[in-house]
Amino acid sequence: MSKISETAADKPHKEIILEYYGAIRESRGLSRESVMTCAEDIDELFKELASQNLIPYPRNILSVAINDEFGSFSSVIKNGDKVVFMTPVAGG
Amino acid sequence: MFSITREPIDTAQLKAQFQDEESGAFTTFEGWVRCINDNKRVDRLEYEAYEPLATKEGSSIIEEVMQRFEIHKAVCCHRVGTLELGEIAVWIGVSAGHREAAFDACRYVIDEVKKRVPIWKKEHYREADSTWIHAMSDQGCSSCGHP
């Protein structure tokens, strides 16, 4: 398990699952990992990940899912959540 | 019904679901892997899905199309994994009383699937590095001819 935030020591840390697909999975070299974060919402989580270049794509092209439902960057994160950042889809 | 499969798409089996005496029209769309995109020779495609969400979103599209158009049945099956040239990446079938609704509904399903369902495609080229295709980019799509 990696710890992705050392800031805001007064905030409770949460353990979440990050899943990766497509180009993000390939750049991360993993399909899934457990991380500790004190991010309160997806926006804060994205900033933490982006600062470590773990999601090497700009926020404005990404969408997000929480627990297998579409979410938004203002969605609140809870302990145990599964979060997926997604590049633009290309099925069909 | 929306489904994702790792096996080659069996069009006869999918079509067999549509036998009924009330439908006067049956339309299908097949997205095929073609050999060239963006002036590069394509060797094969690799599709990857976020399956739980892809199945939910694909099923929502099927529910929508049933509500929006005067049709009897709609089915979409999307392949994932490695696909060779000529293989079917996506199959859509729609039955209706009349052809106009069947054509329109079939078009609606493929357009929405391409925009909304979390499935990604990597193109492997004969003479260049492979690339993940992002629908927002200017790159075309080597499986169905859409930009």
Side-chain angles (χ1 to χ4, degrees):
Chain A
M1 184 190 310
S2 31
K3 191 174 182 179
I4 59 171
S5 176
E6 299 287 348
T7 60
D10 54 328
K11 290 184 184 177
H13 280 78
K14 302 153 199 164
E15 182 178 355
I16 64 167
I17 301 294
L18 290 171
E19 274 190 4
Y20 305 110
Y21 292 91
I24 295 178
R25 175 188 56 72
E26 202 164 82
S27 69
R28 182 71 186 112
L30 291 169
S31 296
R32 180 184 172 96
E33 64 182 325
S34 176
V35 300
M36 294 296 291
T37 179
C38 60
E40 293 191 348
D41 57 24
I42 295 294
D43 185 54
E44 287 186 18
L45 177 65
F46 174 75
K47 286 173 181 164
E48 287 180 358
L49 297 169
S51 71
Q52 297 171 63
N53 207 30
L54 298 182
I55 306 285
Y57 289 90
R59 173 184 153 148
N60 65 340
I61 72 160
L62 297 173
S63 56
V64 64
I66 304 172
N67 302 327
D68 301 335
E69 302 283 353
F70 284 110
S72 73
F73 279 77
S74 61
S75 297
V76 171
I77 298 171
K78 302 184 304 299
N79 192 57
D81 280 348
K82 179 174 91 175
V83 176
V84 181
F85 288 97
M86 297 175 283
T87 54
V89 302
Chain B
M1 188 184 78
F2 180 91
S3 61
I4 291 173
T5 180
R6 297 195 167 275
E7 304 300 321
I9 290 176
D10 183 341
T11 58
Q13 188 178 49
L14 289 166
K15 186 179 175 182
Q17 302 174 63
F18 285 87
Q19 300 302 327
D20 77 79
E21 294 181 346
E22 294 180 354
S23 297
F26 174 62
T27 59
T28 61
F29 172 83
E30 295 181 1
W32 295 357
V33 179
R34 71 168 189 268
C35 68
I36 193 156
N37 188 42
D38 197 26
N39 294 319
K40 288 182 276 196
R41 297 288 296 182
V42 174
D43 253 351
R44 65 190 188 282
L45 296 183
E46 185 183 331
Y47 283 92
E48 182 172 332
Y50 173 8
E51 289 197 31
L53 187 56
T55 302
K56 279 183 193 173
E57 191 65 5
S59 298
S60 295
I61 292 168
I62 296 297
E63 285 173 22
E64 285 169 23
V65 81
M66 294 296 297
Q67 304 243 335
R68 288 179 181 226
F69 299 90
E70 294 278 329
I71 61 175
H72 296 159
K73 189 178 181 75
V75 169
C76 177
C77 180
H78 204 298
R79 176 105 178 260
V80 293
T82 300
L83 277 73
E84 304 298 332
L85 299 181
E87 287 198 283
I88 300 172
V90 60
W91 187 93
I92 295 162
V94 176
S95 63
H98 302 281
R99 67 183 181 280
E100 187 173 6
F103 277 126
D104 290 347
C106 201
R107 174 70 184 253
Y108 179 87
V109 174
I110 186 60
D111 286 352
E112 295 302 307
V113 164
K114 289 178 72 69
K115 280 189 286 192
R116 294 163 47 186
V117 176
I119 295 175
W120 296 272
K121 170 170 49 194
K122 188 175 190 180
E123 290 188 342
H124 293 270
Y125 307 109
R126 193 166 297 176
E127 291 148 352
D129 291 340
S130 54
T131 306
W132 286 98
I133 301 298
H134 295 140
M136 57 159 308
S137 75
D138 292 334
Q139 298 166 89
C141 163
S142 62
S143 63
C144 75
H146 276 115

